[in-house]
Amino acid sequence: MKDPATFWDRIARKYAQRPVQNQQAYADTLDATRAYLGAEDRVLEIGCGTGTTALTLAPAVAEITGTDISGEMIAIAEEKRRTGGAENVRFLRADAAEDVSGGKPFDGVLAFNALHVLADPDAALRALFQQTRPGGYFISKSACLKEMNVLIRLAIPLMQAVGKAPVVARFTSPELQDMIIRAGFEIVEKRTFQGAPHLPFIVARRPV
């Protein structure tokens, strides 16, 4: 598929109705993320999808911006925002590498289930480094497809051929950490949560 946004636009409504597969791992991820965020922080979440994570974390920070390449995903996120009355959240249709900081770097940048569906995660990480303030955190949770079941790895190209899967980047957990370090960050923490061994939760920091 030439335009990845087309894929996500097409499945957005169905995606919005899909329940979180591992509720405990998701809750643990949010708790671990909150530990690195402060009440005065400005936060960016790339690949925000339908906005669930941004809206859930909003009470813990001063403001949060969620971006996604899919206009349909952003429309659903905005519907949720208006319904819930979250005034410190904004949603923007933007590429992961697009600078939406307005010249003021973010205290925290989040990328949950996002890096592995980017055509060029290296380029995105370099751009996100520039949008993170010195001392600020980059927090991610990404599928390391090279470490997943071989049947899943074999199925992805077949699903892509019939439009059932998006563009994906294949890397191992060490390769992902190397990408984050190449972008300029230093790794602060890495762990996995129960039931999600191939989805490492990685916290990195832009050096002061």
Side-chain angles (χ1 to χ4, degrees), residues 39 43 60 77 80 102-103 172 179 181 188 190 199:
V43 176
K80 291 181 180 180
T172 64
M179 280 193 287
I181 292 169
V188 173
K190 175 193 173 290
L199 287 164

Side-chain angles (χ1 to χ4, degrees), residues 1 7 116-117 143-171:
M1 188 172 291
F7 172 85
H116 62 281
V117 291
C144 295
L145 297 178
K146 284 186 178 181
E147 298 175 353
M148 297 180 75
N149 185 293
V150 66
L151 295 178
I152 295 175
R153 286 182 275 144
L154 291 173
I156 290 173
L158 299 176
M159 294 173 67
Q160 289 172 325
V162 295
K164 297 295 185 181
V167 171
V168 293
R170 294 169 173 80
F171 44 70

Side-chain angles (χ1 to χ4, degrees), residues 30-101:
L30 294 180
D31 286 343
T33 300
R34 289 188 189 96
Y36 288 95
L37 302 179
E40 303 301 317
D41 286 352
R42 294 175 65 250
V43 176
L44 167 67
E45 183 194 6
I46 65 161
C48 70
T50 61
T52 299
T53 296
L55 291 167
T56 303
L57 291 174
V61 300
E63 59 182 81
I64 186 165
T65 297
T67 66
D68 201 282
I69 60 169
S70 168
E72 286 298 317
M73 292 282 191
I74 290 298
I76 296 169
E78 183 59 22
E79 290 170 12
K80 291 181 180 180
R81 188 198 67 79
R82 289 197 301 268
T83 300
E87 297 183 357
N88 67 331
V89 183
R90 65 169 180 160
F91 292 111
L92 302 173
R93 185 182 185 279
D95 183 86
E98 187 172 337
D99 189 339
V100 296
S101 66

Side-chain angles (χ1 to χ4, degrees), residues 86-153:
E87 297 183 357
N88 67 331
V89 183
R90 65 169 180 160
F91 292 111
L92 302 173
R93 185 182 185 279
D95 183 86
E98 187 172 337
D99 189 339
V100 296
S101 66
K104 184 180 179 183
F106 293 99
D107 300 292
V109 175
L110 314 178
F112 297 135
N113 297 305
L115 293 178
H116 62 281
V117 291
L118 299 180
D120 191 345
D122 264 307
L125 284 165
R126 290 193 298 270
L128 294 171
F129 178 83
Q130 296 302 323
Q131 293 188 72
T132 307
R133 70 163 174 82
Y137 291 102
F138 172 73
I139 305 174
S140 69
K141 190 175 180 182
S142 305
C144 295
L145 297 178
K146 284 186 178 181
E147 298 175 353
M148 297 180 75
N149 185 293
V150 66
L151 295 178
I152 295 175
R153 286 182 275 144

